[in-house]
């Protein structure tokens, strides 16, 4: 594997964090806070660009500023949470607004958590890690559900075709073939499951050390 391929693979396996803010200095500050963390950080400076990045990059977590010129954070959050393909992305709203009504509005839009500016580095990193653990548990449940669904489908197909395929062989040979097919199916499902959850192993208890 070439050096370029290794870099590409490493980047692919990192958790993606999307920063959405129209002020470059704010983005740079948050990027600096996350620079020592194992994330692939991407940015957007408008609502339109943000929604495009969400659809293209499928981030694991979004740091979303509320006050922006073209589309406010509430509207962006609502669009993300109303879409079945993106509704489980964790959204952390970064805001200078501290009124209760502002938080209620964010909750109604689907925000998962809030962080009041000015941002504290330790608090930001702690919130992100906590939210990514929630996302990890959700993705693991989805992976388990998909694995069970695939297994049930394969079992239904095998149940339908095996009797016809095995009519001409002995009972002992049938048992051997069925065991071999079952083993191959289970191995395939295991590989699929590992590929789905391997990027989350960094979130297992004990892997993170707060900085």
């Amino acid at each position: 594997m070439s050096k370029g391929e290794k870099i590409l693979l490493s980047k692919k396996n990192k958790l993606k964090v999307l920063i959405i803010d129209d002020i470059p200095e704010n983005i740079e500050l948050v990027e600096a806070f996350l620079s020592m963390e194992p994330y692939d950080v991407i940015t957007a400076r408008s609502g339109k660009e943000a929604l495009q990045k969400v659809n293209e990059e499928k981030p694991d977590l979004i740091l979303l500023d509320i006050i922006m010129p073209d589309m406010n954070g509430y509207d962006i959050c609502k669009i993300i949470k109303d879409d079945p393909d993106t509704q489980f992305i964790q959204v952390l709203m970064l805001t200078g607004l501290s009124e209760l009504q502002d938080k209620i509005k964010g909750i109604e839009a689907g925000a998962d958590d809030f962080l009041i500016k000015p941002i504290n580095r330790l608090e930001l990193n702690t919130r992100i890690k906590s939210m990514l653990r929630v996302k990890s548990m959700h993705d693991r449940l989805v992976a388990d559900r998909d694995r069970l669904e695939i297994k049930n489908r394969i079992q239904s197909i095998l149940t339908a075709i095996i009797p016809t395929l095995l009519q001409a062989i002995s009972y002992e040979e049938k048992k051997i073939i069925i065991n071999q097919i079952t083993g191959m199916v289970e191995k395939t499902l295991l590989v699929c499951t590992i590929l789905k959850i391997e990027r989350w192993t960094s979130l297992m208890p004990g892997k993170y050390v707060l900085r």
Side-chain angles (χ1 to χ4, degrees):
M1 183 182 294
S2 67
K3 183 178 180 181
E5 289 173 331
K6 289 180 179 178
I7 294 174
L8 182 62
L9 180 61
S10 175
K11 187 174 182 179
K12 184 178 179 181
N13 289 333
K14 285 185 176 181
L15 300 177
K16 287 185 180 181
V17 175
L18 171 60
I19 305 170
I20 304 173
D21 199 312
D22 62 309
I23 302 176
E25 291 78 9
N26 290 345
I27 291 179
E28 291 171 2
L29 176 63
V30 176
E31 283 184 311
F33 284 167
L34 301 181
S35 62
M36 299 302 293
E37 301 297 331
Y39 308 135
D40 179 15
V41 178
I42 50 182
T43 65
R45 296 184 180 180
S46 69
K48 182 179 179 181
E49 183 186 7
L51 295 176
Q52 181 179 347
K53 289 285 181 70
V54 168
N55 290 323
E56 291 176 354
E57 300 286 349
K58 292 295 188 293
D60 300 291
L61 181 139
I62 296 171
L63 302 178
L64 176 59
D65 186 40
I66 291 180
I67 301 175
M68 291 191 294
D70 65 331
M71 186 185 302
N72 65 51
Y74 302 121
D75 293 337
I76 295 172
C77 184
K78 190 173 189 311
I79 292 172
I80 292 170
K81 293 298 186 176
D82 284 347
D83 187 338
D85 292 332
T86 59
Q87 63 181 338
F88 294 111
I89 296 174
Q90 296 285 293
V91 176
L92 175 59
M93 282 193 162
L94 308 178
T95 176
L97 305 174
S98 58
E99 296 296 326
L100 178 60
Q101 189 61 36
D102 298 316
K103 292 185 178 181
I104 291 175
K105 193 173 180 180
I107 292 171
E108 290 175 343
D112 297 285
D113 204 351
F114 299 86
L115 194 59
I116 305 298
K117 297 178 180 179
I119 298 170
N120 176 274
R121 179 181 64 84
L122 179 59
E123 184 178 10
L124 174 66
N125 286 328
T126 302
R127 294 279 186 94
I128 289 176
K129 289 170 185 176
S130 176
M131 294 173 73
L132 286 175
R133 288 191 184 98
V134 173
K135 179 74 163 48
S136 170
M137 288 187 285
H138 169 266
D139 285 1
R140 287 176 184 276
L141 289 173
V142 171
D144 288 342
R145 181 203 65 191
D146 292 345
R147 182 177 182 274
L148 181 60
E149 183 178 338
I150 293 172
K151 187 174 183 179
N152 288 337
R153 286 182 182 179
I154 293 174
Q155 185 175 0
S156 298
I157 293 172
L158 293 178
T159 301
I161 67 173
I162 282 178
T164 301
L165 295 175
L166 302 183
Q167 283 179 353
I169 63 177
S170 69
Y171 176 72
E172 291 300 323
E173 290 174 321
K174 288 179 183 179
K175 288 199 298 182
I176 294 173
I177 292 175
I178 290 173
N179 286 334
Q180 289 176 339
I181 293 174
T182 302
M184 286 188 293
V185 170
E186 290 179 347
K187 183 177 181 181
T188 300
L189 290 172
L190 178 61
V191 170
C192 291
T193 302
I194 291 173
L195 289 175
K196 281 188 175 183
I197 67 174
E198 64 178 358
R199 66 197 297 266
W200 294 101
T201 56
S202 62
L203 295 177
M204 292 293 286
K207 291 289 184 179
Y208 272 120
V209 178
L210 297 181
R211 294 180 174 86

